[in-house]
Amino acid sequence: MMWEDFRWGVATAAYQVEGAAREGGRGPSIWDTFSHTPGRVLGGDTGDVAVDHYHRWREDVALMSRLGVQAYRLSISWPRVQPGGRGPLNPEGVAFYRDLLDELRARGIAPVVTLYHWDLPQELENAGGWPSRETAHAFAEYARLMARELGDRVALWTTLNEPWCTAFLGYASGVHAPGRTEPAAALAAAHHLNLAHGLATLAIREELGEDTPVSISLNLHVTHPADPESGPDLEAVAQVDAVGNHVFLGPLMDGSYPTQLLRDTAHVTDWSFVRPGDLTVTRQRLDVLGVNYYSTQLVRRHHGAGTAPRADGHGAAAASPWVGTEDAVELLPVDPPHTAMGWNIRPEALEELLLALDNAYPDQPLMVTENGAAFDGDVPVDGRVHDTARVAYLHDHVAAVLRAREAGVDLRGYLAWSFVDNFEWAYGYSKRFGIVHVDLDSQRRTPKDSALWYRELIRTGRLPGVEEAAALPPLEG
């Protein structure tokens, strides 16, 4: 079984949509703990209820079907299926995902299953978390059990989502769960995430066969120099690329860490957590490399104190181990337009990224596993949400994807982030990424114009104009 066709789809993550945090035998995750800690999440919001997907999944899958989506990327809540991160599975949790996957397949929607989207069981964090090697082995066993329980229902396995955010926002800047500020621990976490990916891939294929398709989703950074003619600024870009991209691409694709990364972080750690044989394990065949893209960043060399970490989860210069050193990387403001997250809108940079990856790894199939935008003002009026800015964002980024395909990039899909409005991590419910609006009081779902535009794209196979969206008919049923 291989993932060979191109599919249009949507994506979510368990903690952001499921809710039912204390139902069905689910144990606590680091995001439960983090969001319930005062001051950690805007407005004191938590994922306790989220958008109640745990109870409304049949309605949600039916809505996906009406939109015509061909793939749905979801994540499994590790603490829902294995509450402590080790030991026996929770049958009720496993049954939830089994039923969900069966319904997706019955409606012709290919399930893309992410095993880890940031909700580490709290017990594993108490035992050391991702800086501990044992967490990688616990993850591999969890992956093996999921393959055993759900294997024939999954079209594509994704081991990890954005391990950069897990390592550096969770353990260096502390703006994501578990909220630690320990640069050496962040680097150890990065390695153990790489190791976890390799071990999990081996476990999945031992259970299901060597041809089982496996992927990983990386939030790869597109970094530009403030002055393209400046040697120091170009060095700053290389420094950011090392810790933003190649800390994962190196072990996963090449079986090594970049020399620059080891040199730049020598004052933080001696990398003794990398053991003989690890980098053979991390380098496993990827049937698809998932690419999550939202924005770009602009940097220059700054002699003096570094910039403070940024809490948005997509700036590699933020939370870097060298912040505060003598030769720091300075993160500069980027030109508008911006989304509600403050991220700049640069669709051409998605094409740039895909072409660069294709050039570096010409035999590696790619998939855009997240791309989308939060904008203010998503309010239903007479049953419609006219989110023109999001329609324009999707139009321009899909156009970039189509240009990359025309240029010969082996692209296997595009998954819009996100299917529904949801819990946006440290921003709580203040930022809406969904192509489907969710009223958080009633949990009513209302497809936005962006959802109708996306349906038209999938239905016709052509790129609809932005102006067409508002005139498209609402969904039937």
Side-chain angles (χ1 to χ4, degrees), residues 258-314:
T259 302
Q260 171 143 17
L261 175 68
L262 302 180
R263 182 178 68 243
D264 288 345
T265 59
H267 65 290
V268 176
T269 182
D270 61 4
W271 290 82
S272 58
F273 43 75
V274 181
R275 297 185 184 177
D278 281 4
L279 293 174
T280 299
V281 173
T282 61
R283 188 185 187 188
Q284 301 297 323
R285 185 190 84 247
L286 283 173
D287 295 273
V288 175
L289 173 60
V291 178
N292 293 359
Y293 171 80
Y294 292 93
S295 63
T296 69
Q297 54 191 6
L298 187 67
V299 300
R300 70 182 176 192
R301 173 67 71 221
H302 177 69
H303 297 282
T307 57
R310 189 172 67 185
D312 60 23
H314 290 274

Side-chain angles (χ1 to χ4, degrees), residues 164 168-169 172-175 181 306-313 315 317-320 323-324 331:
W164 188 90
F168 294 101
L169 299 185
S173 71
V175 297
T181 52
T307 57
R310 189 172 67 185
D312 60 23
S320 300
V323 166
L331 187 65

Side-chain angles (χ1 to χ4, degrees), residues 11-190:
T12 67
Y15 190 75
Q16 293 180 272
V17 299
E18 284 182 4
R22 297 176 184 85
E23 295 181 43
R26 181 185 179 277
S29 76
I30 56 175
W31 268 98
D32 293 292
T33 302
F34 188 82
S35 66
H36 279 270
T37 303
R40 291 296 203 178
V41 175
L42 189 65
D45 292 340
T46 75
D48 287 2
V49 176
V51 294
D52 200 29
H53 178 68
Y54 183 78
H55 297 110
R56 299 171 183 267
W57 62 270
R58 291 186 188 276
E59 171 191 348
D60 287 339
V61 173
L63 180 51
M64 288 179 214
S65 179
R66 288 157 60 203
L67 289 173
V69 299
Q70 300 160 343
Y72 173 44
R73 179 173 176 246
L74 65 138
S75 77
I76 292 175
S77 169
W78 190 352
R80 190 177 296 287
V81 296
Q82 194 180 36
R86 294 190 180 92
L89 294 179
N90 168 30
E92 194 170 347
V94 173
F96 168 73
Y97 292 107
R98 186 179 292 121
D99 291 345
L100 173 57
L101 295 175
D102 283 345
E103 183 69 12
L104 288 166
R105 290 169 61 88
R107 291 182 177 269
I109 301 171
V112 180
V113 172
T114 302
L115 287 167
Y116 185 74
H117 201 128
W118 304 357
D119 47 357
L120 186 71
Q122 184 61 46
E123 286 187 31
L124 292 182
E125 175 59 29
N126 294 345
W130 284 110
S132 168
R133 190 178 184 89
E134 288 306 307
T135 302
H137 288 283
F139 179 75
E141 182 58 22
Y142 154 63
R144 181 184 302 280
L145 293 173
M146 289 300 97
R148 194 173 294 167
E149 295 288 338
L150 305 173
D152 59 347
R153 295 169 167 85
V154 176
L156 177 66
W157 293 93
T158 301
T159 54
L160 306 170
N161 176 75
E162 298 187 356
W164 188 90
C165 294
T166 296
F168 294 101
L169 299 185
Y171 293 95
S173 71
V175 297
H176 277 192
R180 290 163 60 177
T181 52
E182 307 162 32
L187 291 166

Side-chain angles (χ1 to χ4, degrees), residues 241-253:
D241 279 346
V243 78
N245 295 337
H246 297 291
V247 65
F248 297 106
L249 287 174
L252 298 177
M253 306 299 292

Side-chain angles (χ1 to χ4, degrees), residues 220-226 228 292-299 332-339 342-354 368 370-373 375 389 392-401 403 414:
L220 296 168
H221 303 82
V222 179
T223 306
H224 296 133
N292 293 359
Y293 171 80
Y294 292 93
S295 63
T296 69
Q297 54 191 6
L298 187 67
V299 300
L332 300 175
V334 287
D335 291 335
H338 297 102
T339 69
W343 302 344
N344 69 326
I345 301 174
R346 288 286 299 276
E348 68 276 12
L350 174 55
E351 181 184 5
E352 173 190 338
L353 174 59
L354 295 171
V368 178
E370 284 187 28
N371 176 239
F375 291 105
Y393 182 100
L394 291 174
H395 173 279
D396 293 350
H397 286 78
V398 167
V401 166
R403 289 195 302 270
Y414 174 91

